Amino acid sequence: MQISQTEAEQYERIPTKVFPTSDEAVRVVAAAISHLVRERQQQGRTLVLGLATGSTPVKLYRELIRLHREEGLSFRNVVTFNLDEYCGLPPRHPESYRHFMEVQLFQEVDIPAENVHVPDGMIARSEVFEYCRKYEERIREAGGIDLQVLGIGRTGHIGFNEPGSAVDSRTRMVTLDRLTRRDAARDFRGEANVPEYAITMGVGTILEAREIALLAWGESKAAILRAAIEGLQTDTVPASFLQRHSNCQCFIDETAAGELTRFRLPWKVGPVYWEPPVIRKAVVSVAGELKKPVLRLRDEDYTENGLSPLLVETGSAYSLNIRIFNELQHTITGWPGGKPNADDSNRPVPAEPPRKRVIVFGPEPLDAELGMAGTLHRLVRHQHEVTFTYLTSGNLGVPDNEARMAISLLNELSVNRLGDIAGKERLAELAKEMENKAPFDEDSVKLRQFKGLIRKAEARASCQVLGLDLSKVLFLDLPFYEKGRYRQFATSEQDIASIRGLCERIQPHQIYVTGSGADPSSVAGICFRLVSSALEASGKEAWMGACQVWLYASSERPWYPHEIDMAVPLSPAELAVKLDCLYHHRSQRSQTPFLKTQSGESWQQAEHSNRTTAEHYDHLGLPEYEAIESFRRMKEVERRR
Ligand code: F6R
């Protein structure tokens, strides 16, 4: 792969290619792999690939499978070595990396079974050292890795080389970081089930590959990518050691690139076109850097921070400060549905019509509540007609314990009180399944439906806290989710039609959606694309002409004030209502309280995120609120009309 860097990329110590979407990025990487495979075929040689698992490479593997099926790409001359495997998981375990690779790639292409290598997680502790040494020997015997594909963990790990891993570390057994285990908790239906140890290639092993491609998508990776790509090399961010490699490139999407200097502070890397959003970003970032309210910034504050061109463009600090201060102030509103009978020329939402039809889309139960429960509560109190639509039931996120408890409760009721024999039989069937199933066996359709009911009940209880009319709390149960598993979802026109049908029936004035910055293979990422496609398909409908589409922030990362178009403040009492609402999603609370850290729970993250946004506004010299929920206008969707 060709490596070249531009002026804008001067802070990047690993050459980085940024793509509008992950789809475009994986097409480029897959095409490069395909080129290498064919080249070697012509030479009668093998190609040795180092492979990763996790969400990141899923799309890459799908593209390789497509190239195999549609363009005749053969993998007969490909040899693969996987980076890592969890200890204690047999190859057939659904969460083992061996199983992942079989399902995501190997079964679907013509790679000979003897060519694939995944570390064996079942190796006895006493034999691990020797086993790891042999794994490296096999890599060397195969001729060394030609191209290593990597993802990056939020701890900065590559493979399972967690912070503290030495630059010359080799294949070995490691202990997984707490954050890594928490990130894997969803797949394992609870953090307690995530293995504590893994076998991983070392940083030194990875650096021996002739070429390295690191892939990353979504805003949750933005901060760690900045540290790895622009920071100093340090073992606290093992991915930063990739800076030493002369043929390593990052392939990332725009949301993952958000914290790189060329996007965060573009004026530092070259001339910029001073459009209003860039100006706002510049003022907010100088104020943040100097910890000064906007209205107290002086000319020198701008010039000393590389922003003389902005002053030349806009005049003095005085007028610039007032302009941006007003803009920021106008994002704040306690009337997310518009303030009736008020001048709305400087408000994010028009006053008319005074009673709006609103659709709030939640990918899985809890997502929308985390992002905008306070705003939902306000919309309801202001008498807007709110339809709260859960796109999926969330049944995949229900731990077995919760299902067991619910079955036993219902059983008690049906046996002792209701005498409902039919119900009892159904419950007995579920109870039997629970008894016989190993923790990671696939749930039957009935059990999934039952788990879905648990989440729906929690969702309804949480909606009641917000005062929502339960007849307007809908569950679309999109087919992609009901038929899929994490990382193996396949969407169809049916999903889009279902969302579109709802929008056309309600003809909303406002739509709230989330997930634009989420990992594209996550439920939130998929739901975002489905809603966008549905709205695109409805683009010409008259109702779309009057519809505002709002993106609500996830609790993944608080948005900076310059990224926010509508900031809805929450009083201490409103924040308490929000937390009460979140607390009703019982199955999503940590199953292992003794392992819980202060900020580990999703409701704690949401509270922290909303409080941080309020602090940001306060520090800029705007009113000091308890908490703020943030929203961005999705003009790109509205503009398609
Ligand atoms: C997987 C691996 C890990 C992942 C990383 C990112 O084989 O070695 O380093 O690449 O944890 O995981 P995802 O892609 O799930 O965000």
Side-chain angles (χ1 to χ4, degrees):
M1 284 176 248
Q2 276 285 298
I3 300 190
S4 60
Q5 265 184 305
T6 65
E7 183 186 11
E9 297 158 33
Q10 60 192 273
Y11 286 92
E12 292 158 26
R13 301 173 199 222
I14 306 175
T16 301
K17 286 206 157 74
V18 180
F19 296 82
T21 65
S22 55
D23 289 336
E24 284 144 272
V26 297
R27 271 200 292 276
V28 169
V29 179
I33 293 177
S34 150
H35 176 77
L36 286 174
V37 174
R38 290 183 203 272
E39 196 176 65
R40 291 289 168 94
Q41 268 157 12
Q42 276 162 10
Q43 299 164 352
R45 295 168 59 203
T46 53
L47 179 79
V48 184
L49 290 178
L51 297 179
T53 57
S55 302
T56 308
V58 167
K59 280 190 171 184
L60 173 68
Y61 298 152
R62 286 199 187 157
E63 176 62 7
L64 289 175
I65 295 167
R66 190 194 68 74
L67 290 172
H68 170 68
R69 288 193 189 140
E70 295 174 17
E71 298 182 22
L73 177 67
S74 167
F75 288 78
R76 298 212 72 80
N77 68 324
V78 175
V79 174
T80 65
F81 286 90
N82 264 83
L83 282 165
D84 40 19
E85 178 60 285
Y86 290 112
C87 287
L89 300 195
R92 259 192 240 115
H93 190 291
E95 294 309 327
S96 79
Y97 283 170
R98 158 67 78 164
H99 181 79
F100 173 100
M101 287 309 301
E102 292 294 338
V103 172
Q104 300 285 349
L105 183 65
F106 299 153
Q107 276 171 11
E108 307 295 327
V109 296
D110 60 346
I111 191 163
E114 63 277 17
N115 286 13
V116 308
H117 306 88
V118 181
D120 180 355
M122 295 305 283
I123 212 77
R125 179 70 190 89
S126 57
E127 287 163 31
V128 167
F129 182 75
E130 184 53 19
Y131 176 82
C132 294
R133 205 187 52 74
K134 285 216 174 100
Y135 197 71
E136 298 228 346
E137 208 170 275
R138 275 193 283 170
I139 297 177
R140 276 192 297 275
E141 280 164 11
I145 291 172
D146 291 303
L147 172 65
Q148 174 68 56
V149 175
L150 292 178
I152 181 171
R154 287 198 297 154
T155 57
H157 71 214
I158 45 175
F160 272 140
N161 292 284
E162 299 288 12
S165 299
V167 65
D168 54 0
S169 52
R170 311 301 309 181
T171 302
R172 68 204 185 287
M173 188 170 162
V174 291
T175 307
L176 296 179
D177 187 278
R178 177 69 213 285
L179 181 59
T180 301
R181 294 186 68 227
R182 199 188 304 150
D183 282 349
R186 164 142 283 202
D187 294 332
F188 281 90
R189 303 183 196 162
E191 197 175 313
N193 300 327
V194 182
E196 286 182 49
Y197 305 100
I199 291 179
T200 180
M201 281 188 201
V203 178
T205 326
I206 293 171
L207 289 176
E208 277 167 16
R210 281 183 268 284
E211 192 174 351
I212 299 177
L214 182 142
L215 319 182
W217 335 121
E219 63 186 0
S220 68
K221 301 288 171 75
I224 197 68
L225 277 174
R226 177 179 162 207
I229 295 173
E230 297 190 350
L232 295 175
Q233 289 180 38
T234 161
D235 66 5
T236 48
V237 183
S240 65
F241 288 133
L242 295 173
Q243 295 173 14
R244 298 184 172 211
H245 199 281
S246 57
N247 198 8
C248 171
Q249 277 191 95
C250 298
F251 297 83
I252 65 181
D253 70 3
E254 275 174 5
T255 51
E259 292 287 327
L260 296 181
T261 306
R262 63 171 137 148
F263 296 100
R264 205 169 45 95
L265 310 167
W267 49 89
K268 287 215 165 168
V269 296
V272 296
Y273 184 56
W274 290 108
E275 291 175 301
V278 185
I279 298 179
R280 215 207 276 190
K281 186 190 243 183
V283 176
V284 167
S285 84
V286 175
E289 188 98 343
L290 302 176
K291 300 198 173 31
K292 263 188 171 183
V294 171
L295 291 175
R296 289 184 50 210
L297 291 172
R298 300 158 188 256
D299 281 4
E300 311 83 275
D301 294 329
Y302 286 100
T303 50
E304 285 164 12
N305 281 281
L307 285 167
S308 313
L310 175 58
L311 286 191
V312 171
E313 191 85 10
T314 57
S316 67
Y318 177 77
S319 55
L320 178 60
N321 294 349
I322 291 181
R323 178 175 140 197
I324 298 304
F325 180 84
N326 285 337
E327 269 183 39
L328 291 168
Q329 197 168 36
H330 294 155
T331 62
I332 303 174
T333 182
W335 296 84
K339 186 170 186 181
N341 309 317
D343 173 12
D344 60 5
S345 43
N346 282 319
R347 290 178 174 276
V349 180
E352 289 296 322
R355 193 155 181 255
K356 295 194 171 55
R357 288 187 299 276
V358 179
I359 302 184
V360 175
F361 284 114
E364 285 181 277
L366 187 59
D367 294 333
E369 292 90 322
L370 288 168
M372 58 174 290
T375 305
L376 255 163
H377 192 217
R378 285 220 170 189
L379 288 166
V380 171
R381 277 204 338 248
H382 293 165
Q383 318 233 305
H384 298 288
E385 220 178 285
V386 181
T387 305
F388 189 0
T389 308
Y390 293 101
L391 292 164
T392 73
S393 70
N395 62 41
L396 290 169
V398 176
D400 285 349
N401 274 350
E402 288 294 319
R404 261 189 210 106
M405 203 196 67
I407 291 171
S408 117
L409 174 73
L410 289 172
N411 206 25
E412 281 288 301
L413 280 175
S414 73
V415 175
N416 298 334
R417 303 238 186 118
L418 306 176
D420 171 2
I421 298 301
K424 194 186 158 216
E425 275 166 9
R426 269 200 305 274
L427 286 171
E429 223 177 284
L430 290 175
K432 198 160 157 218
E433 179 176 347
M434 297 297 295
E435 215 171 282
N436 295 333
K437 87 196 257 286
F440 300 100
D441 284 353
E442 290 265 349
D443 292 347
S444 67
V445 173
K446 281 192 183 144
L447 184 53
R448 281 190 61 171
Q449 282 167 350
F450 185 76
K451 287 185 169 181
L453 292 181
I454 295 176
R455 292 210 69 180
K456 289 174 185 175
E458 291 171 347
R460 284 195 198 93
S462 79
C463 287
Q464 269 173 315
V465 174
L466 303 179
L468 275 146
D469 170 356
L470 288 191
S471 70
K472 296 220 165 64
V473 174
L474 308 181
F475 297 90
L476 283 195
D477 288 339
L478 291 181
F480 89 87
Y481 185 94
E482 291 306 312
K483 293 188 202 139
R485 258 185 82 84
Y486 289 127
R487 301 202 176 101
Q488 291 171 33
F489 295 122
T491 56
S492 71
E493 279 305 315
Q494 253 183 306
D495 298 304
I496 298 174
S498 175
I499 299 170
R500 196 172 167 198
L502 176 81
C503 292
E504 287 181 1
R505 182 163 63 76
I506 294 186
Q507 310 211 337
H509 303 100
Q510 284 191 330
I511 290 177
Y512 290 85
V513 61
T514 192
S516 72
D519 175 326
S521 65
S522 66
V523 176
I526 292 171
C527 286
F528 175 76
R529 283 199 310 284
L530 290 172
V531 173
S532 302
S533 306
L535 296 181
E536 200 176 332
S538 300
K540 299 275 178 297
E541 307 289 332
W543 60 269
M544 268 297 277
C547 180
Q548 284 188 332
V549 183
W550 290 100
L551 192 66
Y552 56 92
S554 75
S555 41
E556 205 71 78
R557 129 178 128 75
W559 288 342
Y560 299 111
H562 66 81
E563 298 175 294
I564 296 171
D565 295 316
M566 177 164 74
V568 179
L570 307 186
S571 67
E574 285 165 325
L575 183 60
V577 171
K578 173 168 184 167
L579 294 177
D580 183 16
C581 151
L582 300 180
Y583 217 65
H584 280 76
H585 291 268
R586 212 203 100 93
S587 68
Q588 302 306 295
R589 286 189 242 150
S590 172
Q591 301 292 304
T592 51
F594 55 92
L595 282 177
K596 205 161 66 183
T597 56
Q598 259 306 341
S599 59
E601 302 263 342
S602 54
W603 56 271
Q604 287 171 317
Q605 269 174 33
E607 178 181 0
H608 177 258
S609 177
N610 294 162
R611 284 187 187 280
T612 306
T613 307
E615 273 164 27
H616 286 159
Y617 270 78
D618 176 29
H619 293 161
L620 292 172
L622 289 136
E624 182 179 354
Y625 292 104
E626 183 80 0
I628 288 181
E629 289 179 340
S630 24
F631 301 84
R632 234 183 261 164
R633 220 18 217 282
M634 282 194 50
K635 302 228 174 75
E636 55 293 5
V637 173
E638 296 173 15
R639 225 181 278 137
R640 287 196 188 118
R641 280 172 219 146

